[in-house]
Amino acid sequence: MRQRIRKGILSFSALLFPILFMFLSPYVIIAAASTGIINGSAIIFAIFFVTSILSSRLFCGWLCPGGAIQDMAATANIRPWNGRVKNILKYLVWVIWFGFIIYLWIANRPLKADFFYMTEIDLHMTIMYFLVTTLIFILALVTGKRGMCHSLCWMASFMIIGEKLADFLHIPRFRLKAKSEACISCGRCNKQCPMSLNVQKMVKEGKLQSVECIACLECVDICPKKAISCGIKRA
Ligand code: SF4
Ligand code: SF4
């Protein structure tokens, strides 16, 4: 039941993507910063960072329209996409992208906030929308399960930094917990994980922690032995 609700919410967020995408755009934030404006996506990315201190990456697993589009593509390509190099790529993209934005903010002071900067629905925006959604879909088709989340997503790093900060400050946050003695090594969690994580290995090691985990709770719900639970806990 929980996964039906999650997938329903994700599908709804995909329906809302034409309205939401300018507020999650990696481009509009740059266009705004070049004119000394802190726009809607800058404010929303800051909210992602702050909320992830408590809620980890729940947004990615439950609300992200980009994630929903990738999950659609995964019905055609369920190949796992996970690995050190594949995961590091998104940090390189983020450092260059966000570094450039900070440079623009500094160069264009004084800054002013405009939440609705470049959010009008016009032809330019419609073309951008189709380009972005097509790119996300094709990328996931080519790479495999949630390839964009692993290798390209500009939003993931904000939440991963939030998670790391919570752990550093010993702030309890949403996380999974393993009961290794209950695991019968059936492998269902690995097969179900949309982020292609080796959940079974983490459960066996009694340490179910990965910054790539999007808190979708697929593994919690599929485990026949209830070896995985979740809640707000300290590291
Ligand atoms: S480890 Fe579990 S909660 Fe995390 S992404 Fe994989 S299936 Fe979802
Ligand atoms: S689904 Fe449960 S029992 Fe099966 S491998 Fe994963 S943790 Fe172990």
Side-chain angles (χ1 to χ4, degrees):
M1 182 63 181
R2 179 160 58 189
Q3 289 306 320
R4 283 193 196 166
I5 294 171
R6 184 182 76 84
K7 285 171 186 168
I9 296 170
L10 269 180
S11 304
F12 188 61
S13 79
L15 285 179
L16 292 180
F17 201 29
I19 301 165
L20 296 177
F21 105 103
M22 285 305 206
F23 293 100
L24 303 173
S25 165
Y27 164 71
V28 177
I29 189 173
I30 291 177
S34 66
T35 56
I37 288 171
I38 295 180
N39 74 323
S41 45
I43 294 164
I44 285 172
F45 297 155
I47 291 171
F48 286 167
F49 166 68
V50 173
T51 54
S52 64
I53 292 173
L54 275 183
S55 63
S56 303
R57 292 183 65 182
L58 277 164
F59 168 80
C60 310
W62 288 73
L63 288 170
C64 181
I69 293 167
Q70 290 179 86
D71 289 347
M72 275 184 236
T75 56
N77 180 7
I78 54 159
R79 197 174 56 164
W81 181 268
N82 183 24
R84 188 180 289 263
V85 176
K86 289 167 184 164
N87 294 336
I88 283 174
L89 265 176
K90 69 174 166 300
Y91 300 119
L92 297 177
V93 171
W94 186 83
V95 166
I96 296 166
W97 169 76
F98 197 52
F100 184 52
I101 290 164
I102 289 174
Y103 161 76
L104 289 173
W105 280 338
I106 293 169
N108 292 292
R109 283 172 300 160
L111 300 173
K112 57 178 190 290
D114 180 356
F115 190 78
F116 295 102
Y117 179 85
M118 262 182 82
T119 54
E120 313 78 41
I121 299 176
D122 55 15
L123 183 63
H124 170 253
M125 188 271 212
T126 310
I127 292 169
M128 287 285 285
Y129 164 73
F130 278 111
L131 281 176
V132 170
T133 46
T134 307
L135 191 72
I136 294 171
F137 190 78
I138 290 175
L139 196 69
L141 269 187
V142 172
T143 55
K145 292 201 284 183
R146 292 241 181 182
M148 189 186 119
C149 299
H150 282 284
S151 303
L152 189 64
C153 182
W154 52 95
M155 298 180 281
S157 296
F158 290 109
M159 288 172 266
I160 291 169
I161 294 169
E163 288 182 339
K164 291 285 176 197
L165 183 68
D167 294 350
F168 179 73
L169 297 174
H170 302 290
I171 297 170
R173 67 174 171 88
F174 187 85
R175 61 177 79 242
L176 301 180
K177 197 175 170 209
K179 215 192 314 167
S180 50
E181 66 282 4
C183 176
I184 54 166
S185 303
C186 69
R188 290 192 203 181
C189 48
N190 282 11
K191 209 172 154 199
Q192 201 70 13
C193 179
M195 292 298 280
S196 318
L197 302 179
N198 194 339
V199 188
Q200 180 182 317
K201 183 167 174 276
M202 291 191 281
V203 170
K204 282 289 185 190
E205 290 168 353
K207 212 175 162 204
L208 230 175
Q209 278 186 29
S210 168
V211 292
E212 299 302 321
C213 174
I214 54 169
C216 66
L217 308 185
E218 287 271 13
C219 56
V220 177
D221 293 332
I222 200 77
C223 180
K225 294 295 174 185
K226 306 277 174 248
I228 309 168
S229 59
C230 61
I232 307 268
K233 302 178 186 93
R234 281 201 177 81

